[in-house]
Amino acid sequence: MVFSLRITFRIFLLLLCTITTISYTVLRAQYTIDQRTPARIWYTTLVVFLELVNGVAFLLMLLERVRSNASPGLPIPSSKRVPGDVQRSSSSTLKATDLNEVADKSNIDAVWPTVTILITCCGEDPEVIRGTVLAAQRVRYPVASKVQVYLCDDGKNLDGIPLRVDDLLPIVLDPSAFSTVRAPPIYIRRKKTPSVPHHAKAGNLNHALKCTPYSDFVAVFDADMQCDPDFLLETVSRLCEDKQAAFVQTPQSFTNAEESSARDPLDTISRVYYNVILPGWAAWGCTPCAGTNFLMRRAAIDSIGGFPTGCVTEDYLMSMKLHGKGWTSLYLNKVLARGLAPENIKDLFRQRSRWAKGNLQIWFNHNPIIEPGLTPIQRLLYMSVGVGYLNSALLVFWMVIPIFHLITGILPIFLQDTWMAYIIVAQLLFTQVAGIFLSIPSGGDQFTEHLLSFWSSSQFAWMFQYYHAKATIVSFLGRDLSFKVSDKGGLQRSHVSASLRLTWFNLVVSVIMLAALAYRIVLLTIKAKNTGLNPQDVQYLLSAVFILNIICVQSQVVFLAIKDNILRGCSHIFVLVWQNLSLFGVGAALCILAKLVGFSDV
């Protein structure tokens, strides 16, 4: 592993952040616990614990972003350029040698690997499915007969009989549109017995693998993801070059969403994930699977007994088990498939809630710390997923703290010496600056986009904390999780009332915070008229700035619910700027309070 001077400095900065975070937490625990009453001890200790979880989540996030690497892909082979002298061994794996040796047609037919394309559907709009199958059928490949497309229907069909599309679904698929060189797509459905677990998408894929002929590679697409004609030429090349790679993942792109992150406040198209997080994981050699738009080596999936079941995010669990078996994975940062993003709060909340439940389910039931075979870095990266959701869930408590302070006047921090206030502010500023610096790719390209992504990730956590908290509780209790696909491409739009019902927590929190702020303003007004204000009253600036920060973020969710379209014309730059400026406001208020009065008297 070769590190440049720039990467070395970034890793040094990550280590420095780790040291300062640990030191800061020790100082907080030693000098800022209010021991005057048992209740205050528990309260201030809880706040230190919340800061610790936040610090761990922050460091793991930086680990994801400290390096960045995503292959731009090999040159696309022509019909006379094969992906290596591929030979099938006794274990059905592929071996690649010289890319340029084989040029005649007979050898090309022999060495190009076989590919199965699986398209999973579960009640999506027929026209959406039809477009996806047509796109897969038209994919370019030097030996057309070595590619077979299967539509894997996991809807309410019960007989489980594989049938050809032209015999069963003339409305969805028009056989006359298919090439005469390549066999028509084949429709597969499975029997699902009531009360017997069918394992959702993982079960659908495993059923497809059982009833389809063995192939070297397997490509998987969701029902709305239409692949580009060059998908196989790009991805097959990668897997044939790297025999240890289990799969190659490509990003998602969406035809119904704008490209600019400035107009995507909820990161509905997962720009942060595909442009920042996955390149970071790829640099450590363990890109996670995203569930669609990937090409899998059949030998790799067979080595772990198929797609893992018992989890609604089978893609992440599969990735972790493959990496535990010693396989690597690749990320090809090139858009080779385009689909449909959720267009309203209802569909987005359903999608993100499913992701949170599934990843927390993995965290509790297959904890990366004890999962066999993973390297230390892989354990930390997989831990970051669960810790990130847990940290977002604990933000519910962070919203209670300023409300409690404004109502009771009890601060969440107890300082006997003013020097600790300056340390808190210094740590706050240092982590912000270091986080921004480490979130920018090593090459410095797309600075603005990555800066927005860093800020957006924090904003996103505040918006979805209720659903992440709910997912944490459900996953911790071990309850079965249902799988519901997001509605994409349908003819019906959600009603505003339905979207508002999903944002009730954001709305209620904003109202309660405003009420608490108004309550304290009234008390201060009465005090000013009767006895006059004193320097200690500056303390309420802390909670006031913090509350205005949260209300600004929460109100944006409510606005998007009323608008009922989260993909068009909503800039969140103001919210991002205010959110970060308010952090400096909290720090300034803390310094002023430390200068004017000692905390021990508050």
Side-chain angles (χ1 to χ4, degrees), residues 551-563:
I551 290 176
C552 188
V553 175
Q554 302 297 338
S555 61
Q556 188 174 198
V557 181
V558 179
F559 168 77
L560 292 172
I562 296 174
K563 186 179 179 183

Side-chain angles (χ1 to χ4, degrees), residues 11 72 79 104 108 127 287 336 360 389 395 405 436 461 513 535 585 589:
I11 293 178
S79 60
D104 61 276
I108 288 177
E127 284 302 314
T287 303
L336 296 171
L360 285 167
Y389 282 117
L395 292 180
H405 175 226
I436 292 173
M513 284 187 164

Side-chain angles (χ1 to χ4, degrees), residues 51-67:
E51 286 193 42
L52 175 62
V53 175
N54 183 266
V56 171
F58 176 75
L59 292 175
L60 291 175
M61 181 196 71
L62 295 186
L63 179 64
E64 292 180 318
R65 305 178 183 199
V66 69
R67 300 177 64 207

Side-chain angles (χ1 to χ4, degrees), residues 142-156:
V143 187
S145 60
K146 288 196 170 185
V147 178
Q148 179 62 61
V149 178
Y150 293 88
L151 176 61
C152 309
D153 189 359
D154 208 31
K156 296 182 179 180

Side-chain angles (χ1 to χ4, degrees), residues 40-271:
R40 287 176 181 256
I41 292 176
W42 281 101
Y43 179 51
T44 51
T45 301
L46 172 63
V47 176
V48 173
F49 171 75
L50 294 176
E51 286 193 42
L52 175 62
V53 175
N54 183 266
V56 171
F58 176 75
L59 292 175
L60 291 175
M61 181 196 71
L62 295 186
L63 179 64
E64 292 180 318
R65 305 178 183 199
V66 69
R67 300 177 64 207
S68 181
N69 179 40
S71 169
L74 297 176
I76 297 178
S78 67
S79 60
K80 292 187 178 182
R81 178 180 171 87
V82 300
D85 184 9
V86 183
Q87 300 174 353
R88 188 185 299 276
S89 69
S90 58
S91 60
S92 297
T93 57
L94 299 175
K95 295 182 178 180
T97 57
D98 187 9
L99 286 173
N100 299 304
E101 287 182 358
V102 182
D104 61 276
K105 181 65 168 63
S106 60
N107 282 336
I108 288 177
D109 290 347
V111 301
W112 273 89
T114 53
V115 180
T116 295
I117 298 179
L118 302 179
I119 299 171
T120 60
C121 64
C122 187
E124 289 86 355
D125 185 83
E127 284 302 314
V128 172
I129 299 173
R130 180 180 187 276
T132 301
V133 176
L134 285 174
Q137 187 67 15
R138 291 167 178 166
V139 71
R140 293 201 302 135
Y141 205 65
V143 187
S145 60
K146 288 196 170 185
V147 178
Q148 179 62 61
V149 178
Y150 293 88
L151 176 61
C152 309
D153 189 359
D154 208 31
K156 296 182 179 180
N157 304 299
L158 299 177
D159 57 10
I161 302 175
L163 297 172
R164 288 196 175 275
V165 173
D166 53 354
D167 294 332
L168 189 65
L169 290 183
I171 297 178
V172 177
L173 304 167
D174 180 9
S176 64
F178 301 134
S179 170
T180 57
V181 177
R182 180 171 298 155
I186 296 177
Y187 176 84
I188 299 177
R189 55 182 180 176
R190 59 175 174 147
K191 182 177 181 179
K192 294 191 290 186
T193 305
S195 75
V196 176
H198 56 86
H199 303 300
K201 183 178 179 180
N204 188 14
L205 290 170
N206 285 332
H207 173 262
L209 292 178
K210 290 179 181 178
C211 62
T212 57
Y214 184 92
S215 63
D216 299 309
F217 298 145
V218 178
V220 177
F221 297 98
D222 283 345
D224 65 305
M225 279 291 167
Q226 298 186 17
C227 64
D228 283 3
D230 291 332
F231 180 87
L232 290 184
L233 297 178
E234 293 271 13
T235 55
V236 167
S237 299
R238 301 303 299 171
L239 286 188
C240 287
E241 281 293 285
D242 189 344
K243 299 183 293 294
Q244 196 59 31
F247 62 88
V248 55
Q249 178 67 56
T250 67
Q252 295 185 36
S253 181
F254 303 93
T255 58
N256 61 335
E258 296 186 22
E259 292 297 326
S260 173
S261 62
R263 293 186 175 276
D264 188 16
L266 301 184
D267 191 32
T268 53
I269 65 176
S270 303
R271 183 182 294 100

